[in-house]
Amino acid sequence: GSLLLAVHFYSLPRASPLIPRTALGVLLLILSSLLAYAGIRRSLRDASLFLSLCLTISVFWCGYGVVFILGGQGVLNDTGDFRNALVPGLVTFTLALLIIAVVGFLCREVILAMIASAVSLASAHEVATHYSTAFGSSAVACNYMIVCLVGGYFGLGRILYFLTKEKIALPGTDLATKRTHEPIQSTSGSVNHFAVTGLILNMLSASVFGCRLLGVTDKLFIGQVPWLWAAGIYQIGICILSYRAMDVLMATFFGFTSILKFAEGYCLLYLIWQPEEPSFPVPFLVVFSILFVVLALFVTLKSPVDGLYLLFYVAYCIALACRPKGFFEGGPQGVDVAIFVASAFMTLIHLYNVKASAKIPTGKGAVKALLARSSFLKLREGADLHAPYLGYSKYADAEVLGYACSVLASFAITMTGNPQAPLATVVIPWVVVAGGILKLLGGSVAFARGKTLESSAFILYAVMWIIWGLARYGGLYGTTRSFHAAVGIVAFMLFNGFIVFCTLFLNIAWFFYSLTFLLIAISFLLDAIHALPAGYDIAATLIFGLVSFYCFLSALFNSVFEGSCLPMGRPIVQLSGVGGGMTKCLHLPARKASSVKRIADILKNGGTCGIPTDTVYVLVAACNRPDAVEKAHQSKRQAQDRPMSLWISSLKQLEPAKHLFSPILWDFMEAAWPSPISLVVPRGEWVDFLGMKDSAKYVGTPQSVAIRIPDCSVTTHLIDLVGPIVVTSANPTGEADTTHHNQVYAKLGNKVDAVLCDGPSPENIASTVVDCTKIDSGNIGFFRVGIIPKSQVKLILTLFPLP
């Protein structure tokens, strides 16, 4: 990319550039996407400066490329337009890359710092060339050639590093060694490496309007839309990546700011159709400022400096609400200048604190220490902070943003607008971006976290907001009404009616949330058939907005504080296993050794857990905890003809009692295990070695006990940590076997303390149960033929001489 720009600027004095502007713009767009991919992939290894540099230059080249395309297609008519389009972005990235360079030099990331400083100088020189003929384009090209040389050195170092399998690493190119010096963070308290890029994007959008106020640019027009919408698109990406970093509050903040960026770009784009500036709905902006205030309060609990930063956006929304022409007036533009400066300082603080061992104080410990004295409010911390209800998710919960978007979309449509000029009122960005795009994001994250019903509702409502917003406020609907529109709305109402029914089994808040959206759908239908009573649509949107606001507050409280300060309520209709264990039953991913250790600790403390095996999921308890064995028996409603069995991880656990087993039985157990074969052996004194005491009556029958070593590394490792365990199938007696961790939760609910999640079972068939009570006489029987056939079991028996 730098080589292309170097060639472009070296050839700029010529009558015709060597690379046409349109071609250069397309190439920069392609390279910006590759650069973003490289940065995000590397971020998984915590190379935070590399991530920030890649994403920052990626945004730069994305907006830069679109501006070049507009210039090549004749949209930017003269040199003044090209300057007005480019300068806001160049100013932003000059400062942003300079900050990255300074932190890079301070933290001894010399190669990355040199690249950042060279691009920063190139941008500064380019700004100078637009305002003074004394500066030539050769200086810009020279800086990009420096980037080419340093980047080529860095690329060569990385290639050698991988080709030689980490044996050769050129100085400054081994990012892995840098990673060891950065503080290791737990999942619950992880650092959001993507916040730096999000703050730079805030600088970019603020620069567009701040430059106009300060006289750096002459006007606001379509040429600056690429910077705003590139910032908006990347900000949505940063929002998603912040959920990946388990940072709910900053992800919500970046979602909010992306809405503003798309609205800013929409307003500049509107000037193509109409010469006068569009007007802004005041109720929406007041509500938006309230949401920012609430979010700022909760962010302050984590970091007071970040909370103070959010107050600039509160002032921004208030300034927009006070001025009828919004972004085009001096008040909001003055706040934009303040946001630009504040974002630059926050970028420096965040980037330095991620990389350096000595931190710039942000007040994090002060609020935490203050709340530690409170008995009413206690911050949520620990490994379970973002644990999903079902399964394993790489993302934090996005319901806070989903509810907030419902609030914004509902209050946005309280402005009816002018049917003759529907675009003149800024409603489409609020409804389509907030109610549609970000709600789709929330639904996707909810689905990834196992919330099937919530995700379905969010996605359905998002589609409804997008369709209605574009049709009603995009000029597609007009003054005429259509029967087809009414039919479509009725179809949405039927789907939502099913969701309302399902929420009866979820909680009270969700029931009212879905029910009040039905009121909005009814108002859409009445409007489509010319039967809308005066004021009904306003009342419906206000009711839905208030219910959504309560859900927003509840989700915020539940994500930050322990307990239920603002509860969502219990299910209206309670069914066994449904909604009963959301706050009690842990769901831990089996792929993590730390999860297996936590399950082991729960079992040692007398808990019962659902775990995966080499066949189906089972319910287990530690043998040396009689109370847990009895609890497992009661939770299962175990029938007398289906006694619980015993599992071990190695015959060494029975070694002290080996003399109590016949030699042929011991040899048969050694040959048959580990495998999905359960052997029913005579009950004897060896059972007493396991410490079950009075609870031994629940295991096996008075004459025999089923015992097995499973062929599953997770299960055997767990037994190594706990000792022998008592096992029964993870389903009420008489029901089908459980073949997925979701089914464990659905069938047993809060009757278990935790579930070790490993997705679908490798097999849908249970183990084979062999009767070995008469093996000394050479005879075996079969209580159940499961995954291992009879012939294979008998083949094992033929390996031993029978008496």
Side-chain angles (χ1 to χ4, degrees), residues 323-675:
R323 310 303 297 178
K325 297 305 178 182
F327 303 119
F328 298 93
E329 302 209 31
Q333 290 175 3
V335 181
D336 270 313
V337 174
I339 289 175
F340 181 87
V341 176
S343 299
F345 277 111
M346 293 301 298
T347 300
L348 177 62
I349 291 172
H350 275 262
L351 189 58
Y352 184 80
N353 284 351
V354 167
K355 291 298 298 180
S357 55
K359 309 296 182 183
I360 299 174
T362 58
K364 288 185 178 181
V367 177
K368 186 176 179 180
L370 185 64
L371 288 175
R373 303 176 183 178
S374 172
S375 57
F376 178 68
L377 296 176
K378 186 178 180 182
L379 289 174
R380 285 172 57 107
E381 295 178 312
D384 298 330
L385 181 59
H386 300 289
Y389 295 152
L390 300 175
Y392 173 73
S393 176
K394 296 179 180 179
Y395 300 89
D397 207 331
E399 284 195 4
V400 174
L401 181 60
Y403 296 132
C405 289
S406 295
V407 177
L408 294 174
S410 61
F411 279 94
I413 64 173
T414 56
M415 177 66 69
T416 55
N418 183 3
Q420 303 302 326
L423 298 176
T425 304
V426 182
V427 176
I428 286 182
W430 315 129
V431 176
V432 174
V433 178
I437 297 174
L438 292 180
K439 212 162 181 63
L440 281 174
L441 188 157
S444 301
V445 173
F447 183 80
R449 291 178 60 81
K451 296 184 175 182
T452 307
L453 177 59
E454 293 93 325
S455 67
S456 301
F458 279 150
I459 292 172
L460 176 68
Y461 298 168
V463 173
M464 188 67 178
W465 285 123
I466 291 173
I467 294 175
W468 183 256
L470 291 176
R472 182 70 179 86
Y473 298 98
L476 304 178
Y477 205 37
T479 56
T480 60
R481 299 295 185 263
S482 169
F483 172 75
H484 302 88
V487 172
I489 294 170
V490 169
F492 272 102
M493 292 174 62
L494 291 175
F495 279 114
N496 191 61
F498 175 71
I499 289 175
V500 172
F501 171 75
C502 292
T503 55
L504 291 170
F505 310 100
L506 187 59
N507 56 56
I508 296 174
W510 255 96
F511 173 74
F512 283 107
Y513 177 71
S514 58
L515 184 64
T516 50
F517 187 83
L518 191 60
L519 298 178
I520 291 183
I522 292 172
S523 74
F524 295 164
L525 177 62
L526 294 176
D527 183 47
I529 61 176
H530 291 283
L532 181 65
Y536 173 81
D537 55 340
I538 303 297
T541 53
L542 288 176
I543 293 172
F544 177 71
L546 292 174
V547 172
S548 300
F549 185 70
Y550 175 85
C551 294
F552 167 72
L553 289 177
S554 178
L556 263 180
F557 268 99
N558 292 333
S559 65
V560 175
F561 296 110
E562 291 184 358
S564 54
C565 304
L566 289 176
M568 296 288 282
R570 297 188 61 80
I572 297 176
V573 179
Q574 181 75 49
L575 295 179
S576 175
V578 178
M582 287 186 176
T583 58
K584 183 178 179 181
C585 180
L586 295 176
H587 288 73
L588 305 172
R591 69 187 73 180
K592 291 187 175 182
S594 58
S595 299
V596 179
K597 185 177 183 301
R598 291 196 64 199
I599 293 288
D601 292 338
I602 292 171
L603 292 175
K604 290 176 183 178
N605 292 325
T608 59
C609 301
I611 65 169
T613 68
D614 49 349
T615 54
V616 296
Y617 278 78
V618 294
L619 176 66
V620 302
C623 281
N624 58 4
R625 292 302 302 254
D627 53 336
V629 176
E630 186 172 354
K631 178 183 175 182
H633 183 272
Q634 293 175 351
S635 64
K636 267 276 296 191
R637 303 193 300 273
Q638 193 77 2
Q640 294 298 321
D641 58 339
R642 298 288 298 274
M644 293 190 289
S645 58
L646 176 68
W647 284 12
I648 56 177
S649 60
S650 169
L651 279 175
K652 291 181 179 179
Q653 292 176 325
L654 292 179
E655 195 74 35
K658 181 178 180 180
H659 61 283
L660 299 175
F661 293 90
S662 65
I664 189 173
L665 176 57
W666 189 268
D667 292 340
F668 186 58
M669 290 191 294
E670 282 187 328
W673 293 332
S675 70

Side-chain angles (χ1 to χ4, degrees), residues 21-22 65-77 82:
R21 284 181 174 177
T22 302
V66 177
V67 172
F68 271 113
I69 292 173
L70 293 179
Q73 296 301 309
V75 178
L76 307 179
N77 298 320
F82 203 64

Side-chain angles (χ1 to χ4, degrees), residues 109-175:
E109 295 274 9
V110 179
I111 300 297
L112 301 180
M114 289 178 65
I115 293 174
S117 58
V119 179
S120 176
L121 287 173
S123 302
H125 276 110
E126 189 175 354
V127 172
T129 60
H130 285 293
Y131 289 95
S132 175
T133 55
F135 290 91
S137 59
S138 297
V140 182
C142 183
N143 283 301
Y144 279 119
M145 283 304 301
I146 294 174
V147 177
C148 291
L149 295 174
V150 178
Y153 170 80
F154 183 83
L156 177 63
R158 298 304 296 168
I159 291 172
L160 288 175
Y161 184 78
F162 287 110
L163 290 180
T164 60
K165 297 181 179 180
E166 305 182 7
K167 293 179 180 178
I168 298 177
L170 297 180
T173 63
D174 187 6
L175 298 176

Side-chain angles (χ1 to χ4, degrees), residues 669-740:
M669 290 191 294
E670 282 187 328
W673 293 332
S675 70
I677 301 175
S678 296
L679 303 182
V680 178
V681 302
R683 195 182 192 96
E685 295 179 0
W686 61 270
V687 176
D688 299 333
F689 284 85
L690 304 176
M692 286 184 286
K693 300 181 181 178
D694 294 338
S695 62
K697 61 185 177 183
Y698 300 118
V699 181
T701 67
Q703 294 80 30
S704 60
V705 176
I707 188 170
R708 179 157 88 93
I709 299 178
D711 191 13
C712 175
S713 58
V714 172
T715 312
T716 53
H717 177 54
L718 177 65
I719 300 172
D720 284 336
L721 296 175
V722 178
I725 57 175
V726 170
V727 178
T728 184
S729 57
N731 54 270
T733 302
E735 295 188 11
D737 289 324
T738 305
T739 57
H740 197 282

